[in-house]
């Protein structure tokens, strides 16, 4: 028996197991606090591959699992959020494209996520890739998404449907008209930042864009949340990035970091979020913890 090492928190694996167990116990059957009004959050980072869509769908799924009513608007032509939430988004499906370009009512495009019926999705189809160009010539092109969402939320009220607690808008990794529409719609911005080289590069560009939107198109917009993703605690680099981000954005940065994880990256190929695909995995627990932290933290901010 002596060949089996004692488990202690000093090895990275043991520390991770201890952390996962603690999280699982804390999160078990937890009901998330409901905000006093619908919170509309745009998830943005024009740098690709930082875990933007992954964070959108997993935070949304965690909140839905915690008893909240959530709407995800997929505003990225790649439609990865739609894929991960298991909703159909082949060309011709009523989608965000029809809302933005043809003025279709959002209610006609909303579909429930199969895993969580209280998580609704407005899918993105490939048609959306042409929307950047088509929007240019349209009247009030920057505010089309905001008006459509406001109408939809009002309509739900009038029909006596339960209030949506959180809206997440997933943007393409660029700063074109689709992203501008998302910024005009949101009242808060969530920025996922990966714990890697050049993490803060491009962030100043993003913050400048947000300031410009604040000044001209949407007074209420503010960066409320920063989420550190793809964290690998074994590297000095990751710890350095975390330190730097916390130093610059201490109030906005969540305590919970999202680890690098195979489970998180493979879940979408099964048309699922990691929260339903592998609920006890490190990645799922981290997203659930982050979502709970957001729900509690932003209760106090309002």
């Amino acid at each position: 028996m002596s060949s089996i090492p004692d488990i202690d928190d000093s090895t990275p694996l043991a520390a991770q197991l201890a952390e996962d167990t603690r999280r699982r116990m804390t999160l078990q059957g937890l009901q998330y606090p409901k905000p006093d009004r619908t919170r509309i959050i745009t998830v943005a980072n024009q740098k690709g591959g930082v875990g933007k869509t992954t964070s959108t769908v997993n935070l949304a799924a965690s909140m839905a699992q915690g008893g909240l009513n959530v709407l995800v608007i997929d505003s990225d032509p790649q439609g990865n959020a739609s894929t991960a939430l298991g909703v159909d988004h082949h060309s011709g499906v009523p989608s965000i494209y029809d809302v933005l370009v043809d003025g279709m009512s959002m209610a006609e495009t909303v579909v429930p996520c199969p895993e969580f019926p209280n998580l609704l999705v407005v899918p993105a189809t490939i048609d959306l890739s042409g929307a950047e160009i088509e929007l240019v010539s349209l009247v009030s092109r920057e505010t089309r998404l905001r008006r459509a969402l406001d109408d939809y939320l009002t309509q739900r009220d009038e029909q006596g449907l339960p209030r949506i607690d959180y809206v997440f808008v997933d943007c393409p990794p660029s700063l074109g008209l689709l992203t501008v529409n998302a910024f005009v719609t949101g009242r808060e911005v969530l920025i996922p930042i990966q714990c890697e080289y050049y993490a803060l590069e491009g962030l100043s560009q993003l913050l400048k864009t947000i300031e410009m939107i604040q000044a001209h198109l949407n007074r209420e917009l503010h960066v409320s949340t920063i989420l550190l993703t793809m964290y690998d605690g074994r590297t000095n680099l990751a710890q350095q990035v975390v330190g730097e981000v916390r130093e610059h954005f201490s109030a906005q940065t969540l305590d919970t970091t999202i680890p690098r994880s195979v489970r998180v990256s493979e879940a979408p190929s099964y048309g699922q979020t990691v929260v339903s695909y592998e609920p006890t995995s490190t990645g799922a627990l981290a997203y659930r913890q982050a979502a709970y932290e957001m729900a509690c933290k932003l209760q106090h901010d309002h």
Side-chain angles (χ1 to χ4, degrees):
M1 284 302 282
S2 61
S3 62
I4 299 175
D6 284 341
I7 288 203
D8 60 27
D9 281 4
S10 63
T11 68
L13 178 66
Q16 189 58 66
L17 287 170
E19 170 75 358
D20 285 356
T21 308
R22 195 184 50 72
R23 272 190 179 153
R24 206 164 39 241
M25 291 165 76
T26 332
L27 292 165
Q28 210 140 32
L30 212 53
Q31 285 295 306
Y32 289 31
K34 276 186 180 292
D36 47 13
R37 56 200 159 95
T38 302
R39 291 184 47 201
I40 304 170
I41 301 171
T42 300
V43 185
N45 193 333
Q46 81 277 22
K47 208 165 154 341
V50 296
K52 187 175 51 66
T53 299
T54 306
S55 296
T56 304
V57 298
N58 284 300
L59 290 169
S62 301
M63 288 183 169
Q65 192 182 48
L68 300 175
N69 298 313
V70 186
L71 171 67
V72 170
I73 298 174
D74 189 352
S75 218
D76 184 345
Q78 293 177 339
N80 293 339
S82 307
T83 303
L85 294 170
V87 304
D88 191 8
H89 60 103
H90 63 261
S91 186
V93 166
S95 70
I96 193 66
Y97 172 83
D98 303 290
V99 173
L100 286 171
V101 177
D102 299 332
M104 183 186 272
S105 114
M106 197 174 272
E108 295 176 58
T109 64
V110 169
V111 283
C113 162
E115 300 287 337
F116 304 102
N118 53 328
L119 169 49
L120 303 172
V121 188
V122 177
T125 59
I126 194 67
D127 308 325
L128 197 57
S129 49
E132 289 282 0
I133 297 153
E134 291 173 82
L135 280 168
V136 172
S137 59
L138 296 179
V139 184
S140 63
R141 57 191 182 190
E142 296 95 352
T143 54
R144 293 175 81 87
L145 183 59
R146 181 173 181 136
R147 282 212 314 276
L149 176 61
D150 289 348
D151 290 350
Y152 173 65
L153 296 174
T154 309
Q155 221 175 327
R156 284 183 66 96
D157 269 356
E158 288 165 356
Q159 293 169 352
L161 291 166
R163 190 186 65 204
I164 300 278
D165 298 306
Y166 282 84
V167 177
F168 288 96
V169 188
D170 190 29
C171 303
S174 65
L175 296 173
L177 271 173
L178 288 174
T179 301
V180 169
N181 261 280
F183 279 143
V184 173
T185 305
R187 313 310 195 251
E188 306 171 31
V189 182
L190 183 154
I191 306 176
I193 295 180
Q194 71 186 120
C195 303
E196 314 231 313
Y197 277 123
Y198 310 130
L200 297 176
E201 196 185 272
L203 192 60
S204 56
Q205 171 75 47
L206 182 62
L207 296 172
K208 274 198 200 84
T209 305
I210 292 170
E211 270 169 34
M212 222 163 66
I213 304 266
Q214 272 169 338
H216 301 287
L217 293 165
N218 181 2
R219 278 258 147 73
E220 301 165 80
L221 192 69
H222 64 286
V223 176
S224 65
T225 313
I226 288 180
L227 176 64
L228 293 158
T229 63
M230 305 185 189
Y231 176 70
D232 180 350
R234 295 168 304 187
T235 68
N236 291 335
L237 175 68
Q239 294 172 3
Q240 223 171 318
V241 172
V242 169
E244 219 171 311
V245 173
R246 291 201 195 285
E247 187 186 324
H248 291 294
F249 306 98
S250 58
Q252 293 91 339
T253 309
L254 294 180
D255 293 335
T256 313
T257 54
I258 306 299
R260 228 174 219 310
S261 146
V262 179
R263 292 280 175 271
V264 169
S265 15
E266 72 188 15
S269 57
Y270 294 91
Q272 288 187 338
T273 60
V274 74
V275 175
S276 58
Y277 170 66
E278 197 69 71
T280 56
S281 66
T282 304
L285 292 167
Y287 271 116
R288 286 171 58 200
Q289 174 102 36
Y292 186 65
E293 192 185 334
M294 262 179 87
C296 297
K297 173 176 180 283
L298 294 159
Q299 283 282 297
H300 306 310
D301 289 357
H302 281 301

